[in-house]
Amino acid sequence: MKILQPLGILLLVFSSVLAIGQTAETSIGKFLMEAGFSVEQDQWRITSEHTSKASGVTHIRFLQMVDGFQVYGTESSLHISKAGTILSKRLQFVERESFHFSNSEAAIAPLQAVVAVAAHMNYQIVNPIKFLENKTLKPNEVWMSNGGISMRDIRAELAYVLTDENTFKLIWEVEIRPLDDEHWWVFQ
């Protein structure tokens, strides 16, 4: 009996987390539909979700996706009360008809992006950086060995960034955790 009780508690917590996630997806879908955007899940991605213990307000942050790529510059948010009322909203999406792409391929390879980041941060690559094919989980991402500059393997992911000229530029987002363990850098 004592063994089953903790399992029951874990199941309740897990079920509660799923309900919050489903509510977030439903809320975003409704919000996007009202604004005239696609509600298809492959057109947006939740980047963070948090419910305040003090107020009960759920804060959801999400961004637009284009052809499977995240689009930086389209970060949006919804803030929903315990009762399900939208308290605040911000939508930075761009209409599909307005898309202007400045390139169809990234200007540099992922390894070049890592070397550029290392040079910019004055990190000295002391070990060869190798691609880790068994670690790649998404078609737009690659993993590389740490090169002696990161506490963990280095991730690079293709993404679009919305430029000041209102065009989409394909870039590599590089994630490095420096050896000092004081920062976690994500470069675009």
Side-chain angles (χ1 to χ4, degrees), residues 6-7 14 20 36 47 58 82 95 102 114 116 132 136 160 168 183:
L7 287 175
F14 186 68
I20 291 170
T47 56
T58 299
K82 278 194 268 190
E95 293 180 13
S102 64
V114 171
L132 306 173
T136 299
Y160 282 111
F168 293 99
H183 304 92

Side-chain angles (χ1 to χ4, degrees), residues 37-148:
F37 287 94
S38 171
V39 297
E40 299 298 319
Q41 275 226 286
D42 64 345
Q43 302 298 307
W44 51 272
R45 184 177 78 80
I46 295 173
T47 56
S48 70
E49 179 182 353
H50 167 75
T51 301
S52 168
K53 290 180 182 176
S55 66
V57 173
T58 299
H59 306 278
I60 308 165
R61 290 175 176 72
F62 57 102
L63 53 72
Q64 192 168 13
M65 301 283 288
V66 173
D67 300 329
F69 300 105
Q70 298 181 98
V71 182
Y72 292 99
T74 63
E75 291 82 359
S76 302
S77 62
L78 281 175
H79 307 276
I80 305 168
S81 73
K82 278 194 268 190
T85 306
I86 295 177
L87 302 172
S88 173
K89 57 189 174 184
R90 177 175 172 231
L91 185 62
Q92 297 290 109
F93 280 28
V94 178
E95 293 180 13
R96 185 87 184 181
E97 298 77 37
S98 309
F99 290 170
H100 300 287
F101 298 93
S102 64
N103 57 344
S104 60
E105 294 181 359
I108 60 175
L111 181 57
Q112 290 173 302
V114 171
V115 169
V117 167
H120 177 76
M121 297 300 293
N122 295 317
Y123 297 152
Q124 186 171 359
I125 298 172
V126 295
N127 299 322
I129 296 176
K130 299 176 183 173
F131 288 94
L132 306 173
E133 295 184 28
N134 62 336
K135 196 166 183 172
T136 299
L137 301 173
K138 298 187 254 180
N140 306 335
E141 93 178 349
V142 295
W143 284 86
M144 294 165 270
S145 59
N146 66 33

